[in-house]
Amino acid sequence: MADQSRRTFVGRALAGAGALMLGGCYDLSQKKWVTGILGEVENLTRRAQHLFAGQHTLAPEYAKSDIAPVFRANGTRDPGTQEYAAHVATGFVDWRIAVTGLVEKPLSLSMSELKALPSRTQITRHDCVEGWSCIGEWKGTPLALVLAAAKPKPNARYAVFYCADPMTVEGDPDHYYYESLDLAEAVHPQTILAYEMNGEALPVAHGAPVRLRAERQLGYKQPKYVQRIDLVEDFSRIAGGKGGYWEDLGYTWYGGI
Amino acid sequence: MTDQAQRMPAMPQSPAKSAVRTALGVPQGPHTLVYRHSMWVRAAHWVNALCLVILLMSGLGIFNAHPALYIGNGSDFERPILSMTAQQNNDGSLTGTTWIALKPFDTTGWLGASREDGQWMARGFPHWATLPGPQWLAMARQWHFAFAWLLVANAALFFAWGVWKGHFRRDLLPDRTNIRHLPHEIVQHVKLRFPHGEAARRYNGLQKLAYSIVIFVLGPLIVLTGLTMSPTMDAAFPQLLWLFGGRQTARTIHFLCAFSFLGFFIIHIAMVVLSGAWNNLRSMITGWYAIEKEDSRG
Ligand code: HEM
């Protein structure tokens, strides 16, 4: 290349890179082929992390002295519906957790039936996707026990959690918070349906009467106010099709980082 | 760096053109072109530059989702070691405050509160510094992780090649002579006197030290602290938390590393410009670097 044309080339390349950085990344983020590549990256991250973490490694557990004096409540702090207020008033005696979908034995458990099953207590770190962390103690029923009682069918791949907190923005059709985990994460020993936090009944702000804890995942993968667990083969026809409320808004389904 | 060389005769030029060329570092007198950077170094260099810019800007976008840093495993919201906040004024504008160790600094317009299209926004870093520009955590994270993979793949190839070809030992790691000459070189750099002639064939001690710190310390540190923030990685390698003193400390170190990279960037680019922008840029694009004959400048 002659000096002159090389200089024009370099100039153009630099100008192009600059334009890409400043405006382009926003536009690029909306393009199908770009989101396609970013989706492949998510799969790569998930596979790589599974390779190292496997199914059984445990999230670190902490000492009582590490428990945060104030555990931040994020997302819904009170579902605010009449039905929910009625449950609060009656101490959740009528709250039920249904297990439905691809199971041999559909279940509908009351809180006292859930609490009658063996429990696990763990002091773990909650990592919010926003970047902060809080340590708290959780007691609950391992989800593996509940699922085993319902006998998943061989084609069940995901557990979808339906919650009581409405996420409807004005003008939208009604919809509620929902989330999903693959079955491997759902039966992980630290994945529990937690009904106690720091030794007391789960507060409303943290998902009373029962929330999911999946300790190797970020906070948005651990729904509060859980009412139904549906086992499915794929979630592409549920709500926005991405497997969760935040996922439908662009967050990755894989929430391990 | 090989010893292939081409001899170039001096070119006759107009005085104005010659002044511009001197400023750009285009050699004027008789010079030799040496093949300074191999294709692998050049490719890795530009991939790296792209990754670092995108990682820095998307990282700042992520930071803005919760613009505060802490020490330990959990966040002590009352005592962040750094945070950025915004306060509404009567006239509708915002005051941005940056708190370092609980001491407030007014950073209106830059940190905490800044304007986007004339509109005041409460945001840690301003829109022109983040990627995507508008606050969009989900997309900032996706860009960050995509380019983190590219950075790691690029680094892995570069490390394998560097060890195999002896590039690290020969060209990058400072040797004993370099270290002995370091004080002298620092003085020379501060006076903006850069090596010429034969001495410019190889990296000088200060360059070697700077590049080595970035490649062997800062790089691994920012990758490992990035992974420590992943709850799944902490299950696989709890040692990471012990190593960095908790997830939030890892996040703080990650942030400090990112700004060390930025500091390196700025000095690196300043040095490239001051010691002959065009010659340096060409050598990192085509590989060929011009060395003046010793007698041409003295
Ligand atoms: C393999 C490499 C990397 C990985 C795995 C990684 C991972 C991460 C993660 C998980 C976060 C989110 C933290 C949070 O939850 O708030 C983050 C934030 C960030 N990253 Fe990276 N990162 C990498 C490389 C880099 C590089 C090279 C830079 C800059 C040159 C950078 C700059 C930032 C910044 C400024 C933030 C936001 C502030 C912070 O949380 O420290 N990252 N990174």
Side-chain angles (χ1 to χ4, degrees):
Chain A
M1 238 192 289
D3 232 31
Q4 193 57 47
S5 68
R6 196 186 294 142
R7 209 163 314 158
T8 349
F9 165 75
V10 173
R12 285 216 189 106
L14 288 178
L20 176 83
M21 301 303 314
L22 288 175
C25 279
Y26 183 72
D27 300 331
L28 275 179
S29 302
Q30 329 246 19
K31 290 249 165 25
K32 263 244 142 57
W33 66 270
V34 175
T35 49
I37 293 176
L38 294 176
E40 285 309 312
V41 172
E42 177 191 348
N43 285 333
L44 180 65
T45 306
R46 178 173 52 81
R47 293 220 180 83
Q49 292 211 338
H50 275 179
L51 195 67
F52 289 116
Q55 287 192 12
H56 304 294
T57 54
L58 296 181
E61 295 192 13
Y62 297 87
K64 273 227 189 301
S65 58
D66 295 322
I67 293 175
V70 181
F71 195 114
R72 178 170 287 199
N74 212 20
T76 308
R77 279 149 222 220
D78 186 339
T81 61
Q82 276 179 10
E83 295 92 322
Y84 186 78
H87 280 298
V88 174
T90 55
F92 300 103
V93 285
D94 296 325
W95 190 274
R96 302 202 77 86
I97 298 141
V99 185
T100 57
L102 299 173
V103 290
E104 307 283 354
K105 243 184 79 185
L107 301 174
S108 173
L109 303 173
S110 67
M111 286 310 296
S112 49
E113 284 168 327
L114 186 73
K115 289 177 187 172
L117 292 169
S119 71
R120 187 180 202 282
T121 303
Q122 56 206 28
I123 301 175
T124 51
R125 195 188 68 225
H126 179 92
D127 297 332
C128 179
V129 68
E130 293 169 3
W132 51 267
S133 313
C134 285
I135 293 174
E137 185 185 57
W138 307 95
K139 179 181 176 189
T141 311
L143 183 57
L145 294 180
V146 175
L147 293 186
K151 297 201 166 62
K153 292 185 177 162
N155 55 343
R157 288 189 58 202
Y158 302 99
V160 183
F161 304 87
Y162 291 93
C163 308
D165 45 335
M167 306 303 286
T168 315
V169 189
E170 265 189 25
D172 281 7
D174 268 8
H175 59 271
Y176 292 81
Y177 198 90
Y178 80 106
E179 248 308 331
S180 58
L181 292 179
D182 60 28
L183 281 198
E185 207 65 28
V187 302
H188 182 269
Q190 285 169 321
T191 302
I192 62 175
L193 289 167
Y195 44 77
E196 269 183 31
M197 176 186 184
N198 298 337
E200 292 174 24
L202 192 63
V204 167
H206 289 284
V210 62
R211 76 168 299 171
L212 189 77
R213 296 295 313 166
E215 305 292 358
R216 305 193 302 180
Q217 302 282 315
L218 295 173
Y220 67 94
K221 300 297 291 184
Q222 311 183 41
K224 312 195 264 193
Y225 320 104
V226 177
Q227 286 185 307
R228 184 157 73 90
I229 302 164
D230 196 33
L231 295 203
V232 299
E233 193 169 357
D234 108 295
F235 47 67
S236 62
R237 274 186 296 280
I238 298 171
K242 299 283 165 48
Y245 172 76
W246 287 109
E247 286 84 335
D248 289 340
L249 294 175
Y251 285 81
T252 53
W253 179 80
Y254 181 67
I257 180 162
Chain B
M1 292 182 210
T2 57
D3 264 321
Q4 279 168 283
Q6 290 174 0
R7 310 236 159 245
M8 304 293 278
M11 282 177 280
Q13 298 169 346
S14 75
K17 205 167 170 194
S18 151
V20 171
R21 301 192 114 212
T22 311
L24 285 174
V26 180
Q28 305 297 299
H31 58 275
T32 316
L33 282 180
V34 294
Y35 190 61
R36 193 175 209 225
H37 304 295
S38 89
M39 189 187 66
W40 292 99
V41 171
R42 286 179 278 139
H45 175 270
W46 292 114
V47 171
N48 210 23
L50 177 73
C51 287
L52 288 176
V53 171
I54 293 193
L55 281 162
L56 178 64
M57 295 179 69
S58 57
L60 297 180
I62 296 174
F63 175 86
N64 276 359
H66 183 75
L69 298 173
Y70 311 90
I71 295 293
N73 262 309
S75 303
D76 181 351
F77 299 110
E78 301 300 315
R79 271 175 288 279
I81 63 159
L82 176 126
S83 69
M84 297 172 191
T85 59
Q87 219 181 3
Q88 180 96 39
N89 304 321
N90 291 334
D91 63 355
S93 67
L94 297 177
T95 296
T97 308
T98 300
W99 305 75
I100 299 173
L102 303 179
K103 276 196 212 53
F105 297 89
D106 185 346
T107 49
T108 307
W110 299 90
L111 306 174
S114 47
R115 263 178 293 199
E116 187 176 349
D117 298 329
Q119 190 76 22
W120 278 99
M121 299 275 207
R123 42 185 302 155
F125 288 92
H127 71 101
W128 51 261
T130 66
L131 190 165
Q135 186 53 31
W136 189 1
L137 174 62
M139 206 38 83
R141 282 167 45 83
Q142 298 213 28
W143 284 99
H144 202 71
F145 301 146
F147 282 86
W149 273 109
L150 189 58
L151 178 84
V152 167
N154 188 44
L157 288 175
F158 181 68
F159 272 83
W161 175 86
V163 170
W164 179 45
K165 289 288 192 185
H167 174 59
F168 294 153
R169 195 169 21 78
R170 187 161 25 87
D171 305 321
L172 270 185
L173 291 172
D175 58 27
R176 223 171 272 184
T177 332
N178 291 138
I179 291 174
R180 217 162 352 100
H181 289 167
L182 217 49
H184 172 72
E185 278 182 12
I186 291 174
V187 172
Q188 293 293 310
H189 271 77
V190 169
K191 292 184 180 161
L192 302 181
R193 279 197 211 126
F194 301 104
H196 288 293
E198 281 308 300
R201 253 173 208 272
R202 306 176 57 79
Y203 294 144
N204 59 62
L206 205 54
Q207 263 177 313
K208 285 186 177 181
L209 189 68
Y211 296 153
S212 293
I213 289 176
V214 167
I215 294 171
F216 301 112
V217 181
L218 220 45
L221 205 57
I222 206 162
V223 172
L224 289 177
T225 49
L227 292 172
T228 309
M229 289 185 267
S230 151
T232 298
M233 281 298 120
D234 290 346
F237 304 106
Q239 304 84 342
L240 286 171
L241 290 167
W242 167 82
L243 187 64
F244 295 118
R247 179 180 194 252
Q248 291 300 321
T249 316
R251 184 165 176 258
T252 300
I253 298 173
H254 195 73
F255 185 88
L256 293 176
C257 286
F259 277 85
S260 308
F261 264 110
L262 182 64
F264 167 77
F265 259 18
I266 292 172
I267 296 175
H268 179 64
I269 292 168
M271 291 296 135
V272 163
V273 170
L274 291 172
S275 66
W278 175 243
N279 195 22
N280 282 313
L281 198 57
R282 175 184 52 199
S283 79
M284 203 33 100
I285 294 171
T286 67
W288 293 95
Y289 184 78
I291 288 185
E292 294 132 10
K293 290 286 175 50
E294 298 287 1
D295 53 326
S296 72
R297 260 208 201 170

